[in-house]
Amino acid sequence: MTISTTQFTNPATSTLFDLVKSRRTYYALKPESPVSDSVVETIVKDAVLHVPSSFNTQTTRVVLLLKEEHKKLWNYAIKIMEGLVAAGKLTKEMFESNTKPKLEGFRNGYGTVLFFVDYESLGPIKEKFAQYAAKFDPFALESNAMSQFFVWTALEAEGFGANLQHYSPLIDGDVQKEWNVPESWKLDAQLVFGTPVADAGSKQFAPLEDRYKVYGN
Ligand SMILES: Cc1cc2nc3c(=O)[nH]c(=O)nc-3n(C[C@H](O)[C@H](O)[C@H](O)COP(=O)(O)O)c2cc1C
């Protein structure tokens, strides 16, 4: 679905929309990077700094894993899934035909960005604004998701392909131990990235008429 963006007065807005529209899920990746690691680090650090959070609580935490460290993560995931097979919680057939190839595909990327939320850091603000207390945890997750989207889009703008995964809580213990992650950091998502070796494929769009209303225009 393409909506004309020619009406923008600022050419940067058109560029922004081009980047947003070209962000897709890429599963077929190879362990190469189109840019230097410092570019990837800049993207991740700027996301941590500049993506907004409710009341500026700055609850997002990130661990960036590159190359061998990235592989370690997905080796842990494979080992955990093998454990589930051994425990009778996942069939061997499902593991061999589906789970393992998928995880090996992630392992074949160049890096993974681990996105965490530090909910414990919200203690003081929940006390200060007691009437909003129940809102702060969801707000923190929403802010985290904004970082995920921003990093995903920026990495793809730099020539990567990426896909977003959710293997928490299965991998939480290994992640915490291996990369010395504070206990208060709760893992939400894993953004796997690498050089794409296949297109993202086609995408269906539900009708905009069912999803958008405007009044007063
Ligand atoms: C909040 C969220 C959670 C997602 N979780 C997963 C996931 O666990 N595994 C996965 O392979 N893709 C996941 N995706 C990717 C979506 O399936 C994908 O973005 C969607 O199908 C649209 O395709 P596109 O990314 O190519 O535009 C997730 C996306 C979002 C926004």
Side-chain angles (χ1 to χ4, degrees):
M1 175 179 285
T2 306
I3 296 165
S4 170
T5 52
T6 49
Q7 74 272 32
F8 294 129
T9 50
N10 182 347
T13 312
S14 288
T15 306
L16 176 64
F17 271 89
D18 288 344
L19 296 177
V20 165
K21 289 175 186 179
S22 61
R23 182 227 48 83
R24 293 292 314 281
T25 292
Y26 291 85
Y27 292 112
L29 304 171
K30 62 180 175 181
E32 289 171 20
S33 174
V35 295
S36 70
D37 289 348
S38 67
V39 170
V40 178
E41 283 198 71
T42 298
I43 288 170
V44 173
K45 286 191 286 188
D46 269 353
V48 171
L49 278 179
H50 295 290
V51 169
S53 56
S54 78
F55 288 76
N56 200 24
T57 43
Q58 303 177 54
T59 36
T60 289
R61 309 285 181 263
V62 168
V63 173
L64 173 62
L65 303 175
L66 299 172
K67 293 168 272 197
E68 289 310 308
E69 297 298 311
H70 152 87
K71 278 194 189 137
K72 257 188 216 171
L73 173 75
W74 295 105
N75 281 333
Y76 277 128
I78 291 169
K79 224 163 111 195
I80 288 161
M81 292 300 183
E82 282 169 348
L84 293 185
V85 174
K89 291 181 177 159
L90 176 66
T91 66
K92 194 167 173 53
E93 191 201 1
M94 181 62 135
F95 174 73
E96 292 294 342
S97 66
N98 183 292
T99 313
K100 193 178 177 196
K102 205 164 60 177
L103 294 171
E104 285 173 342
F106 303 149
R107 186 178 62 188
N108 209 37
Y110 183 77
T112 302
V113 191
L114 302 175
F115 290 91
F116 304 81
V117 178
D118 189 344
Y119 293 104
E120 280 183 25
S121 68
L122 291 168
I125 201 154
K126 283 179 182 171
E127 269 185 36
K128 193 171 171 195
F129 298 102
Q131 75 275 26
Y132 287 121
K135 288 283 191 185
F136 282 108
D137 285 3
F139 282 161
L141 198 55
E142 287 161 19
S143 172
N144 199 272
M146 290 182 188
S147 300
Q148 294 165 27
F149 176 66
F150 174 75
V151 172
W152 192 346
T153 306
L155 287 175
E156 293 197 354
E158 287 296 305
F160 286 109
N163 60 77
L164 191 67
Q165 299 304 319
H166 295 89
Y167 283 84
S168 180
L170 285 173
I171 59 174
D172 290 6
D174 289 318
V175 166
Q176 199 184 339
K177 257 186 264 148
E178 181 66 47
W179 292 288
N180 201 21
V181 173
E183 230 175 280
S184 65
W185 296 19
K186 298 298 170 215
L187 185 58
D188 180 52
Q190 305 86 52
L191 184 69
V192 180
F193 60 94
T195 296
V197 294
D199 287 344
S202 64
K203 179 172 167 175
Q204 305 303 314
F205 292 89
L208 203 48
E209 307 85 83
D210 300 342
R211 306 163 69 196
Y212 167 78
K213 290 178 192 291
V214 59
Y215 301 96
N217 53 340

